[in-house]
Amino acid sequence: MAIKSIVKNLYNVGVDHWDRKIFDNLIPLPDGTSYNAYLVKGSEKVALIDTVDPEKFYELENNLKKLNIDNIDYIIANHAEQDHSGSIPLILNIYPDAKVVTNEKCKGFLMDLLHIKGEDFIVVKDGGIINLGDKTLEFTLTPWVHWPETMVTYLKEDKILFSCDFFGSHLAASNTFVEDEPKTILDAKRYYAEIMMPFRTIVKKNIEKLGKYEINIIAPSHGPIYNKPEVIINAYKEWVSDDVKNDVVIPYISMHGSTKKMVEYLTDALIEKGINVKQYNLANTDIGQIAMSLVDASTVIIGTPTVLGGAHPAAAYAAFLTNALRPKIKYISIIGSYSWGGKMIEQLVATVPNIKAEIIEPVLIKGDPDENAYNALDNMANIIYQKHKDMNLV
Ligand code: FEO
C-alpha cells in the first residue's frame, strides 16, 4: 500500500491485501482487507501503532524505508491477533531498541504466539500514557473486541482514536478516508457480525467507555479511516442495542425440493404480512451475509430436510454458527421435510444452547408438502406476524 498521510507526522504505513479471499480460513473477504499500521512521529520519539500480517511485512518495511525511518522507539500492540501483531518480531529485528508497548494480558499472548522476549515489553495499564514529545498516546483497555486483551490508543493532540479491530471493516481500498459511506458501514456491519456480535454487551460498555474522548478521527486497523466518527459510532450503538427489526432470516438447504417449496411458501406468506425476509440457500451462501442479517433480525427459521437420520450438515453448520454468534434474535424455529423419520428437531435445538430466543413450534412434514403442510406454514406465519406485531415491528 502506498503511504497515506493522515495529519502532520502521522502516516498509515500499512498494507492493502487486495486478493485475500478468506480470513481465519472461515470468514469470506469479498473485498479483500487491509492491515493498517500507523507511524506517529513525535518531536522526540517515534511510535508504530500495530503492524501487519507477516505475509505482507515486506510492504510495511518498504514504507518505513521510503519515509527514512531509521529509529522506532515504541511498537504499540493494541491486539495480539497475528494480522496486526505478526510482524512485530520482524520489526524488532530491524529496530532492536524498540519496545513493545501493550497491556499485561496482550504481553502474555504475544510471548506465547510470537515468542517475543519479556524484556522487550513496556506494560501499560488502563489510562496509561506514552509521551513522544509533542504527541501523547493514551491507552484504554477495551476487552473483548474481540479478544480479551484488546485495547485502543488515543493520540491526544490530534484527537485520533486508533481502534484496531474495533470499528474496522474488511476492505482493501485506495482511499485514505471513507468515501462510500453506505458501503463502508455495510462492510463494518459484516465485520461486527462476524467477530464482535458474540460480545455485544461488553462492546456496548466499551463504546460508553470511549465516550470520555473527543474524537475527530477513528483510525481502525482494517478498512478506511473515519473522519466523521459519529457515523460508525452511531451504527455500532444501533447494532449493540436491544432493538430488533421486522426481519426473518431463513437459512435453508434442500435435497429434492420439498424443503425448498416450504421455504418459498413461508417466505411469501411472511412478505404478504408485511414482514421482511432474508432467505439464504446454504448450498451457495457467503456466511458473512447470514451473520450480517443476524445483527438485527427478530426471527430465524432454519429449513432442512432429514438426512442420515438428522439435520442436513449444512443446516447443522448454520445452527452452530448462529449459536456461536449469539445474535439478539427473539424467536427461532425449524421447518423441513423427512422421508422416514429422524431426530432433526432435537439435534438442531441442542445445537443452539446460547440462543435465548423463544422456540416457535417447528413444522416438520413427511414427503412433499400438501395442503396440511401449507396450512401449518400459514399458521407459523401468523404466529410470527403476531410476535412481531406485539413488538410493534409490523
Ligand atoms: Fe484484525 Fe482480531 O484481528
Side-chain angles (χ1 to χ4, degrees):
M1 179 160 80
I3 296 165
K4 294 172 179 172
S5 178
I6 300 164
V7 295
K8 188 162 182 259
N9 289 328
L10 171 62
Y11 308 90
N12 183 358
V13 290
V15 172
D16 280 312
H17 201 156
W18 300 91
D19 60 350
R20 187 164 182 177
K21 290 295 168 210
I22 193 156
F23 195 85
D24 291 343
N25 274 331
L26 173 67
I27 297 168
L29 300 175
D31 298 307
T33 190
S34 71
Y35 321 112
N36 304 333
Y38 297 98
L39 189 86
V40 191
K41 288 171 78 175
S43 55
E44 293 170 19
K45 305 275 187 186
V46 175
L48 178 66
I49 301 176
D50 293 323
T51 68
V52 302
D53 192 293
E55 184 186 341
K56 288 285 188 180
F57 172 69
Y58 65 97
E59 290 195 47
L60 169 62
E61 186 181 19
N62 281 343
N63 284 344
L64 294 172
K65 275 185 191 156
K66 278 191 238 169
L67 286 171
N68 296 316
I69 302 301
D70 52 16
N71 181 56
I72 288 178
D73 298 283
Y74 305 116
I75 307 163
I76 315 298
N78 281 321
H79 177 28
E81 194 167 9
Q82 293 93 326
D83 51 325
H84 309 292
S85 71
S87 291
I88 293 176
L90 302 167
I91 292 285
L92 285 170
N93 285 344
I94 304 174
Y95 305 98
D97 295 331
K99 291 292 177 198
V100 181
V101 179
T102 194
N103 60 75
E104 189 68 48
K105 197 176 280 288
C106 190
K107 174 186 171 184
F109 285 174
L110 293 175
M111 291 174 74
D112 291 342
L113 295 170
L114 301 169
H115 305 298
I116 299 172
K117 297 194 292 293
E119 62 261 33
D120 287 333
F121 287 90
I122 294 173
V123 171
V124 291
K125 291 189 161 54
D126 195 24
I129 276 174
I130 290 270
N131 202 316
L132 307 179
D134 60 349
K135 291 186 188 288
T136 315
L137 300 177
E138 182 173 293
F139 310 101
T140 293
L141 304 191
T142 50
W144 293 109
V145 291
H146 60 124
W147 281 16
E149 88 301 357
T150 44
M151 69 177 199
V152 298
T153 299
Y154 181 67
L155 173 53
K156 284 186 158 188
E157 290 75 9
D158 297 296
K159 300 184 173 57
I160 299 177
L161 184 77
F162 301 93
S163 57
C164 201
D165 282 344
F166 206 1
F167 306 122
S169 57
H170 280 310
L171 178 62
S174 57
N175 45 296
T176 304
F177 295 98
V178 171
E179 281 183 358
D180 186 343
E181 208 169 85
K183 169 152 178 52
T184 307
I185 295 301
L186 262 190
D187 289 331
K189 184 177 187 180
R190 172 190 271 261
Y191 190 69
Y192 163 84
E194 291 162 341
I195 66 169
M196 309 284 178
M197 185 160 63
F199 312 108
R200 180 173 70 91
T201 310
I202 192 156
V203 172
K204 193 176 189 174
K205 287 191 181 131
N206 282 322
I207 294 169
E208 286 162 12
K209 192 172 179 182
L210 296 178
K212 66 182 175 181
Y213 288 132
E214 187 184 340
I215 301 172
N216 287 345
I217 289 175
I218 293 179
S221 291
H222 294 292
I225 296 169
Y226 303 91
N227 49 10
K228 290 189 217 157
E230 67 281 1
V231 173
I232 186 66
I233 291 173
N234 289 339
Y236 257 72
K237 282 182 179 170
E238 185 185 322
W239 302 334
V240 300
S241 77
D242 294 332
D243 299 340
V244 287
K245 290 189 173 158
N246 183 29
D247 292 355
V248 176
V249 176
I250 310 183
Y252 78 96
I253 187 88
S254 190
M255 292 163 68
H256 296 287
S258 301
T259 298
K260 188 176 177 64
K261 283 182 193 168
M262 295 175 73
V263 165
E264 288 174 348
Y265 187 89
L266 180 65
T267 298
D268 288 352
L270 291 169
I271 290 171
E272 282 163 15
K273 291 179 187 306
I275 295 170
N276 304 318
V277 177
K278 293 177 179 171
Q279 190 196 97
Y280 298 104
N281 185 341
L282 293 165
N284 54 24
T285 293
D286 165 350
I287 58 163
Q289 287 282 351
I290 299 180
M292 194 164 32
S293 297
L294 292 175
V295 169
D296 31 32
S298 302
T299 303
V300 171
I301 308 292
I302 296 174
T304 176
T306 297
V307 53
L308 301 174
H312 190 291
Y317 178 65
F320 186 87
L321 189 69
T322 303
N323 185 62
L325 294 174
R326 297 175 184 239
K328 56 188 175 187
I329 55 170
K330 307 295 183 196
Y331 301 98
I332 190 165
S333 193
I334 301 160
I335 61 174
S337 164
Y338 65 94
S339 292
W340 56 84
K343 296 203 173 297
M344 182 206 354
I345 303 284
E346 298 89 324
Q347 198 184 50
L348 287 181
V349 168
T351 309
V352 291
N354 294 338
I355 303 298
K356 302 304 174 205
E358 181 184 327
I359 298 176
I360 294 171
E361 182 68 27
V363 176
L364 193 60
I365 65 154
K366 194 166 189 301
D368 198 49
D370 58 10
E371 196 181 335
N372 287 338
Y374 291 129
N375 287 340
L377 291 170
D378 278 329
N379 185 46
M380 176 179 265
N382 284 334
I383 292 170
I384 294 170
Y385 171 76
Q386 195 54 53
K387 302 281 190 194
H388 282 216
K389 193 158 181 263
D390 290 346
M391 292 188 289
N392 297 317
L393 298 176
V394 63

